[in-house]
Amino acid sequence: MEIPVTGFVVHSGDSDSDHSHRLFITSWDGRPVNKVHVHPFKGTTSFDVGHFHHYCGETKSAPSGGPHVHHYCAETSCNDQHRHLIKGTTGPAIPLPGGGHYQCFEGCTTVSGKIPHVHKYGGSTGDEEECRY
């Protein structure tokens, strides 16, 4: 089964070999896709080298109304005199019974610390509370 999709691609304008393009979908299966949305996310990393970190943030925007994923990036709390970065792409949208959706994410932090190490993290988008740690 084919699903008709319309949209456009925008070149980043970079002149180096690592340039990129962004795809903007304007309709999915005949329905306009003109809204974008974000999701809050937060959690706690795994306990490694005697400590853990908290993290929270907001995903990058993505089109509403069709299958999509979100990119995310956040810095962890400062524990044991260092921080880590978490960065990645969520899984696809998972519908909620009452409408809306959420997405799952997981990964490993960047390497940091007096004893260089990483932490695992994972969770799902949602929880509209203010981001604090």
Side-chain angles (χ1 to χ4, degrees):
M1 178 173 117
E2 289 188 25
I3 297 174
V5 177
T6 60
F8 57 94
V9 175
V10 176
H11 184 277
S12 68
D14 298 340
S15 60
D16 65 9
S17 62
D18 291 332
H19 75 275
S20 62
H21 298 86
R22 292 193 66 183
L23 171 64
F24 293 91
I25 298 173
T26 56
S27 75
W28 184 273
D29 200 16
R31 291 174 292 188
V33 176
N34 54 11
K35 294 182 182 179
V36 295
H37 68 282
V38 297
H39 295 277
F41 65 91
K42 66 180 178 178
T44 303
T45 67
S46 60
F47 186 83
D48 297 288
V49 193
H51 67 280
F52 59 87
H53 298 267
H54 296 290
Y55 59 88
C56 60
E58 190 174 79
T59 63
K60 303 291 184 201
S61 61
S64 299
H68 66 279
V69 296
H70 293 265
H71 299 293
Y72 63 88
C73 183
E75 191 173 62
T76 67
S77 59
C78 183
N79 293 26
D80 199 28
Q81 300 178 340
H82 70 278
R83 298 175 183 269
H84 297 269
L85 186 68
I86 68 167
K87 187 176 183 178
T89 304
T90 67
I94 301 168
L96 290 166
H101 66 277
Y102 67 97
Q103 275 131 323
C104 294
F105 60 91
E106 65 180 1
C108 290
T109 66
T110 55
V111 177
S112 189
K114 287 183 249 178
I115 300 171
H117 64 282
V118 300
H119 296 269
K120 292 180 183 178
Y121 66 87
S124 59
T125 61
D127 194 349
E128 303 293 330
E129 289 180 28
E130 185 179 336
C131 184
R132 285 187 217 140
Y133 50 76

